[in-house]
Amino acid sequence: MMPIAPCGPFAPSHSSRRPITLDVARARFAIYLALARRQLADGIGGKVELIIGPYFERPFATINADDLVDATLKGIRAPLVKELPVVGALDQVSDLTPVLEDPSGSQRMITALPG
């Protein structure tokens, strides 16, 4: 069984605002782990211990994605690829629902970001 770090109570789901059950949380964790294992099996991410644990001080858990990203970046050998900026999704910059649900607002925020 994969290590699960202690974290607060399970957060409400975005759609229902009701607390999620332990079964739902475990199913999500299984998906996180399956995807990470697939990535590692494909040679992406180097040697990383997969851990389900708290997401900063927020009351929900996730996989240690930062460790996977760091290991993946360390494994890049091509100089041209190594020089590219690391980019993610808009929801890594803002969790404001009005921005994320509005395509034009999302595009304006993406355009305004540095890099």
Side-chain angles (χ1 to χ4, degrees):
M1 179 154 184
M2 199 51 57
I4 298 179
C7 59
F10 295 110
S13 67
H14 293 290
S15 60
S16 66
R17 295 294 177 207
R18 289 175 296 173
I20 62 171
T21 66
L22 186 56
D23 288 339
V24 170
R26 285 188 175 142
R28 288 181 184 176
F29 300 160
I31 292 168
Y32 300 158
L33 293 169
L35 292 171
R37 286 183 186 123
R38 174 59 198 227
Q39 180 176 312
L40 294 173
D42 287 343
I44 303 168
K47 301 280 184 197
V48 176
E49 179 184 5
L50 302 177
I51 299 171
I52 300 294
Y55 183 71
F56 300 100
E57 282 76 43
R58 295 181 182 179
F60 54 90
T62 190
I63 196 165
N64 54 325
D66 290 340
D67 295 339
L68 291 162
V69 170
D70 291 343
T72 301
L73 292 173
K74 287 177 186 171
I76 296 173
R77 301 284 178 246
L80 289 175
V81 176
K82 210 168 188 60
E83 292 175 15
L84 294 172
V86 177
V87 290
L90 179 58
D91 65 349
Q92 292 177 308
V93 178
S94 173
D95 62 358
L96 296 172
T97 301
V99 172
L100 299 175
E101 290 181 346
D102 173 30
S104 63
S106 294
Q107 189 58 49
R108 284 193 307 275
M109 182 172 271
I110 291 168
T111 302
L113 292 172

